[in-house]
Amino acid sequence: MNELKPARILAIETSCDETACAVLENGRELLSSIVASQMDIHARYGGVFPEVASRQHVLSIIPVVEQTLDQSNLTLKDIDAIAVTRGPGLAGSLVVGMNMAKGLALGTNLPMIGVNHLEGHIYSSWIYNAGEAAPPEPQFPLMALLVSGGHTELNLMTDHLTYQRLGATLDYAAGEAFDKVARLLGLPYPGGPSVQRAAETGNPTRFKFPRAKLDNPYDFSFSGLKTAVLYEVNRLKKESSTLPVEDLAASFQATVVDILFKKTIQAARDHDAKEILVAGGVSANRPLRQAFQSQEEFKVHIPPFSLCTDNAAMIAAAGYYRYSFGHVSELDIDVQPTWPLS
Ligand code: KG4
Ligand code: ZN
């Protein structure tokens, strides 16, 4: 950490339905962060409507950047580099943030860094709020479970920006499974928090849902689980007009949490990881957090709730390490809607 140069990064994130900007110092200290959510707009459609998302980003991006600078009491003169999410994400959404970042970089003559959104999620565990004591940094080798709306994968990090992908989902991501099951149960968008809320009063052992047996123990598959919930819903609907939504949600959630938890612990043991890191929107799930927090074998890093779902602070953190290691982008880079982490 000592050899890294001090730098203040302004970052922009527009990969999906959140228009976000943040200023972060030295990769860890968060000076300001604004997230303009479009959740209410997309809730009407039961999911993110891509064209609407990109138009909304166009409307929000300049005020969001201005508010972020205001909140930090800084101007662009105080910034050392601009980081921006290059992918993965919705092309039309990514383009808005990318063009804003290019405009800022051109206008200020600052370097620009195109950041992988998944790397951003991982680096959210390095962040703490300005004025607070710096918590210990995650230590390598680190087993990173990435669980977002589009991705579920296990990566071994042996150093900064170094990922060995051990396994990933063969079909749905964990977040996608939450979203699909929410729809099946008639719960509102976004699905993850709705399922969690319904599950609070449900019985997690009432329904025994199947777990996929896979050749690679670090891979995931959630499509069979979703189909099992669908069959159960259809069977129950024939029996009664009221669905035991809470028990179905709790049993589904308990199955997902158990799969994610056990595979991550096994992968950490098998690869002699020192610590575990959990990142991405699903890391906001309380039972998942509790599962990791209630074991003592590994120290586990899970970001605070505000940094679990999409935000720009995490893009600034990953951007800082990329910048520090000399990974500055040209201003003619394009967005990469399907950009793997490794
Ligand atoms: O990381 P994220 O905000 O966006 C992507 O990069 O995809 O993740 C969004 C996903 C959604 O599928 C959402 O349902 C899920 O994270 N999620 C949750 C919770 N909060 C968000 N899933 C389970 N429990 C939650 N509390
Ligand atoms: Zn995300």
Side-chain angles (χ1 to χ4, degrees), residues 111-122:
M112 185 185 83
I113 307 115
V115 172
N116 186 302
H117 180 84
L118 307 174
E119 185 161 82
H121 274 302
I122 285 177

Side-chain angles (χ1 to χ4, degrees), residues 19-77:
T19 318
C21 182
V23 177
L24 188 80
E25 193 152 296
N26 304 336
R28 301 198 65 200
E29 191 177 348
L30 186 57
L31 304 185
S32 64
S33 174
I34 301 282
V35 180
S37 172
Q38 306 175 6
M39 203 181 283
D40 295 346
I41 300 169
H42 299 289
R44 268 179 262 156
Y45 308 105
V48 178
F49 195 135
E51 285 82 358
V52 173
S54 89
R55 268 185 246 166
Q56 200 58 39
H57 285 307
V58 172
L59 295 176
S60 306
I61 189 72
I62 291 176
V64 164
V65 171
E66 285 174 348
Q67 278 176 42
T68 306
L69 282 168
D70 283 353
Q71 197 185 61
S72 64
N73 289 318
L74 297 171
T75 70
L76 286 171
K77 288 199 178 64

Side-chain angles (χ1 to χ4, degrees), residues 13 15-16 18 88 117-118 121 148-150 280-281 308-311 314:
E13 150 67 37
S15 67
C16 191
E18 255 100 31
H117 180 84
L118 307 174
H121 274 302
S148 68
C308 288
T309 46
D310 291 348
N311 64 86
M314 67 187 202

